[in-house]
Amino acid sequence: MPESKNGAQSALKRNSRELGWWERGKRASKYWYLRVMRQKSTPKELAFSLALGVFIGAMPIIPFQSVVVIALAFLFKVPKFAAWLATCYSNAFTMAPFYYFLYLVGVFFLPLDASFDPSKLDMVQMIEAGWQFFTVILAGGLIFGIPATILTYVVSLFAIRRFRRRRAMRMFRR
């Protein structure tokens, strides 16, 4: 029996290597989606957790996002994993274009004299570049983050309830 288990595992590894990057990405996305949807919490708590993560992800505090979102998740007593996962859209790889987007939004609403320098995107460097620059990006994060948070809460609450309703119906049929 252990031989068949090892054979199945090696076949699974071989199949995952043969998949292209798109298929691997789809499988990984489905895995993380199911991990979030199967959290043992109410739909409102889970939706709030995701919305909290999206809001913190919009703030220009990339080195501290995980710490801040987990601390707030403890404070609000919502699932920590879902909150952390929802911050992952803003990360070290997406930082330059995302901060530039926040800069554009912030400059549109707060016409302060601040220039964008993609080589100085560390939080300390942004503050040293001037409080006006940091204020512009923070304002852009708030202006983007608040509607994104509300939208995330509404859409995820609907999706979580629908997922759980369908899952309950499948289990009922069995």
Side-chain angles (χ1 to χ4, degrees):
M1 191 122 180
E3 293 174 19
S4 65
K5 184 177 180 183
N6 289 338
Q9 286 177 344
S10 65
L12 183 62
K13 286 180 185 177
R14 187 176 55 252
N15 287 341
S16 68
R17 274 182 278 166
E18 291 171 1
L19 294 175
W21 65 271
W22 182 255
E23 288 298 319
R24 285 193 313 264
K26 282 178 28 180
R27 290 179 80 175
S29 296
K30 184 174 182 179
Y31 171 76
W32 291 111
Y33 168 78
L34 291 174
R35 282 214 43 199
V36 168
M37 291 303 217
R38 292 175 179 164
Q39 294 275 309
K40 296 202 183 322
S41 62
T42 67
K44 286 184 179 182
E45 289 173 342
L46 191 53
F48 182 83
S49 180
L50 292 168
L52 178 67
V54 166
F55 181 74
I56 297 301
M59 297 298 105
I61 55 171
I62 279 193
F64 307 110
Q65 283 179 341
S66 296
V67 173
V68 170
V69 79
I70 290 173
L72 288 173
F74 269 109
L75 181 70
F76 291 118
K77 297 178 181 167
V78 294
K80 288 87 183 143
F81 174 74
W84 171 79
L85 192 62
T87 64
C88 291
Y89 72 93
S90 68
N91 55 52
F93 300 111
T94 63
M95 184 168 57
F98 186 65
Y99 278 9
Y100 184 64
F101 167 73
L102 295 181
Y103 169 79
L104 293 176
V105 171
V107 165
F108 182 77
F109 288 98
L110 286 178
L112 295 175
D113 185 30
S115 61
F116 185 81
D117 185 3
S119 66
K120 296 182 179 178
L121 292 180
D122 186 67
M123 195 162 107
V124 174
Q125 291 174 331
M126 285 192 299
I127 293 171
E128 288 174 357
W131 281 101
Q132 286 185 335
F133 178 70
F134 187 72
T135 303
V136 166
I137 289 188
L138 184 63
L142 288 170
I143 293 166
F144 166 74
I146 292 170
T149 299
I150 294 167
L151 183 65
T152 299
Y153 180 80
V154 171
V155 169
S156 62
L157 183 61
F158 173 78
I160 293 162
R161 285 179 174 164
R162 184 174 182 208
F163 175 84
R164 291 186 177 179
R165 200 175 320 117
R166 287 181 171 190
R167 186 174 179 205
M169 290 302 289
R170 276 194 311 269
M171 293 176 93
F172 179 72
R173 287 185 201 136
R174 287 182 185 176

